[in-house]
Amino acid sequence: MIVRIGEFQAAPGQAEALKAFLLSLSDYICNSPGCLSYEVLCPVDEADRLMVIERWESAEQHRASVQAYPSDKMQAAMSLFAAPPTGGYYSLAQA
């Protein structure tokens, strides 16, 4: 299992719209092969920044879900972002 943590910065005045967009992805992502969970987090002191934590069976399955998402829907959402999203893949630390 891998954990994907993504960070998103909303364009000015677009924080609520970006949050709604990320929440709207839940059904698509959760129904993608290999997805184990999907959560959108909002920092309590920074309304324009959001985080997404996803758990996947593999990084390849995450990448496949991103590639399969309709490009026209992603293009429509681009105005919500102040900057390109950042993120990375993590494994659980073990003793």
Side-chain angles (χ1 to χ4, degrees):
M1 179 192 75
I2 61 100
V3 177
R4 169 73 182 179
I5 299 176
E7 293 190 56
F8 303 85
Q9 183 70 40
Q14 297 298 320
E16 285 301 314
L18 178 57
K19 180 171 70 172
F21 172 70
L22 294 174
L23 290 170
S24 77
L25 296 176
S26 182
D27 285 342
Y28 170 80
I29 293 173
C30 289
N31 289 311
S32 295
C35 181
L36 304 172
S37 68
Y38 175 81
E39 298 173 299
V40 177
L41 304 173
C42 304
V44 293
D45 60 349
E46 202 173 340
D48 291 341
R49 193 168 62 91
L50 295 116
M51 293 184 71
V52 171
I53 298 178
E54 303 170 67
R55 287 178 171 73
W56 289 85
E57 291 176 8
S58 71
E60 292 76 21
Q61 288 172 309
H62 171 261
R63 287 187 202 102
S65 76
V66 171
Q67 289 179 337
Y69 189 74
S71 61
D72 59 329
K73 289 184 180 182
M74 185 54 74
Q75 284 299 323
M78 294 310 289
S79 65
L80 305 176
F81 300 97
T86 60
Y89 295 102
Y90 301 84
S91 60
L92 296 175
Q94 299 181 15

